[in-house]
Amino acid sequence: DGPDTYGRLNADVYDEWHADLDPTDAVHRLADLIDQGPAGPVLELAVGTGRVTIPLAARGVDLRGIDASEEMVQRLRAKPGGATIPVTIGDMVDVDPGTDDDFAMIFVVFTTFFFLMSQEDQVRCFANVARRLLPGGRFVLECLVPDLARYQRQQSVDAHRVDLDHVRLVAVRHDPVEQRFAGQHILITNDGIRLAPVAMRYAWPSELDLMARLAGLERRHRWGGWRHEPYLGTGTHVTVYEKPARPAS
């Protein structure tokens, strides 16, 4: 399906099912990085329902957004402060916010970069990000490091919630050749079954570094989380790439 599929099938349950994700640390760190970089607007790829977008914009950041799903963006616009944030409906691979602006920072959080389902699209996204960054501007990604040991026969089923009146499972199949996950969030209640699909093409941190180099970006930081935790090769990583400043004339 197209890049809008996830939002179309998940928008109405997204905030409820991800209520445990506190954006505070991400917002603080992104704000710090913005203060340390060149002056200019900031662009978020895959803004979704505004989990990070809205609190960051509330700090006075000149923030724009791109998302493929009108349904997700409608949720953002319905929240306090969300209606004032300019969001373009489009594929994040194009990094096209509908203006000619260049950006001090472009970021994508919560592993959403992996929703680009081919290496070609991921490489193209890096190149388009680099094209739209100001000299000294940063590209910030938050991504999971795949834990392939959890898969038996290239599949897994995990119980995320087990309550008196409902069960929420996540079932995933892994394609090690294409580096892809195809999964379903499954909500089982007395009223029936609700499915919310998700698909990803993961990339290892070293692969992301090579994409950045091909785009002319340089890695500046890699942390194990938004609090500057050491990166140990597992869990989540937050990586900051930078577009080199133009040489002095």
Side-chain angles (χ1 to χ4, degrees):
D1 289 54
D4 64 328
T5 301
Y6 178 82
R8 188 173 70 249
L9 298 178
N10 288 270
D12 62 326
V13 295
Y14 181 88
D15 285 332
E16 177 187 352
W17 288 10
H18 298 92
D20 58 328
L21 295 172
D22 185 351
T24 303
D25 290 333
V27 172
H28 285 328
R29 185 59 54 213
L30 289 167
D32 288 344
L33 290 168
I34 292 167
D35 289 342
Q36 298 163 13
V42 173
L43 177 65
E44 181 179 4
L45 305 180
V47 298
T49 65
R51 181 176 65 90
V52 173
T53 319
I54 292 174
L56 191 58
R59 289 173 171 245
V61 175
D62 181 6
L63 184 61
R64 327 286 172 79
I66 296 173
D67 201 280
S69 169
E70 182 66 51
E71 291 85 356
M72 295 287 268
V73 174
Q74 286 175 358
R75 299 271 168 171
L76 177 150
R77 289 172 175 156
K79 296 177 181 179
T84 62
I85 300 170
V87 178
T88 299
I89 303 299
D91 192 339
M92 67 175 171
V93 71
D94 298 320
V95 193
D96 183 3
T99 70
D100 294 329
D101 295 311
D102 289 333
F103 296 91
M105 189 170 79
I106 299 173
F107 69 94
V108 55
V109 297
F110 195 34
T111 311
T112 314
F113 180 77
F114 291 166
F115 283 18
L116 298 176
M117 291 299 293
S118 70
Q119 186 184 71
E120 179 182 358
D121 278 351
Q122 292 174 0
V123 168
R124 188 155 62 93
C125 184
F126 262 92
N128 287 330
V129 164
R131 180 174 55 85
R132 298 303 296 260
L133 282 175
L134 292 164
R138 282 86 176 270
F139 184 31
V140 183
L141 298 98
E142 177 191 23
C143 295
L144 286 174
V145 181
D147 178 11
L148 303 187
R150 67 185 295 178
Y151 297 98
Q152 297 184 12
R153 303 189 310 279
Q154 306 300 342
Q155 57 189 286
S156 71
V157 178
D158 296 300
H160 276 220
R161 287 288 299 265
V162 179
D163 292 318
L164 185 62
D165 59 351
H166 71 272
V167 174
R168 183 157 64 90
L169 308 174
V170 177
V172 179
R173 288 191 62 86
H174 173 226
D175 181 343
V177 176
E178 298 294 335
Q179 295 178 207
R180 289 181 178 176
F181 297 126
Q184 286 276 7
H185 291 264
I186 306 163
L187 180 65
I188 305 173
T189 71
N190 291 331
D191 297 324
I193 297 174
R194 165 69 187 270
L195 300 178
V198 62
M200 292 184 176
R201 190 269 173 187
Y202 63 86
W204 301 102
S206 57
E207 189 179 0
L208 295 173
D209 289 348
L210 182 56
M211 294 181 194
R213 288 183 59 189
L214 291 172
L217 303 177
E218 299 175 356
R219 195 180 86 196
R220 288 289 177 250
H221 306 286
R222 174 164 287 139
W223 303 302
W226 292 108
R227 297 183 178 182
H228 284 186
E229 300 95 322
Y231 171 65
L232 301 177
T234 60
T236 299
H237 70 90
V238 175
T239 301
V240 180
Y241 299 104
E242 185 174 299
K243 182 175 182 175
R246 295 190 182 97
S249 57

